[in-house]
Amino acid sequence: MTIMRFTWIYTTWPDPASAETAAGALVEAELCACANILPGMTSVYRWQGEIETAQECVMILKTTETRAPALRDRIMALHPYDTPCILALPVEAAASAPEFLAWIAEQTAVRT
């Protein structure tokens, strides 16, 4: 019996419009069950030796561990940044809602 594992992908985008366009494509491709877009974030970071400040938005994607690599690759293809923030975080299944995890699994199932 294979144990289903889940992954939470955290990524940032330059604006809500680009995040929403990407989210639609990612959900449509069944690479993630859903995307949450949180606008209004300020990022402060070092880039090419300079301290930068930018207005961005966060996108959180829910997927399975097996779909996460394909999801990452698709985000990289859609993202306008040369080096996008994409962090995959494991989900603690024992502390999560089983029905919600089942929904994620159903939405991201590879169809033949």
Side-chain angles (χ1 to χ4, degrees):
M1 177 181 187
T2 302
I3 297 174
M4 176 80 59
R5 297 186 199 288
F6 298 89
T7 303
W8 203 62
I9 301 288
Y10 171 92
T11 182
T12 59
W13 291 77
D15 55 76
S18 63
E20 190 171 336
T21 298
L26 298 169
V27 172
E28 177 68 30
E30 298 179 333
L31 293 171
C32 61
C34 71
N36 302 120
I37 299 168
L38 310 168
M41 178 185 73
T42 301
S43 294
V44 179
Y45 53 94
R46 185 180 308 277
W47 183 251
Q48 299 178 342
E50 301 292 326
I51 302 297
E52 302 284 340
T53 301
Q55 295 301 306
E56 296 183 298
C57 66
V58 170
M59 182 165 33
I60 301 165
L61 305 153
K62 290 91 168 187
T63 194
T64 61
E65 182 179 68
T66 57
R67 296 295 265 168
L71 176 57
R72 177 209 53 222
D73 293 347
R74 187 74 174 122
I75 292 168
M76 291 180 77
L78 294 170
H79 211 290
Y81 293 167
D82 292 336
T83 308
C85 168
I86 304 169
L87 298 174
L89 306 166
V91 170
E92 180 65 42
S96 299
E99 297 83 4
F100 189 72
L101 296 179
W103 177 75
I104 293 172
E106 143 91 44
Q107 296 303 308
T108 59
V110 177
R111 318 247 189 247
T112 55

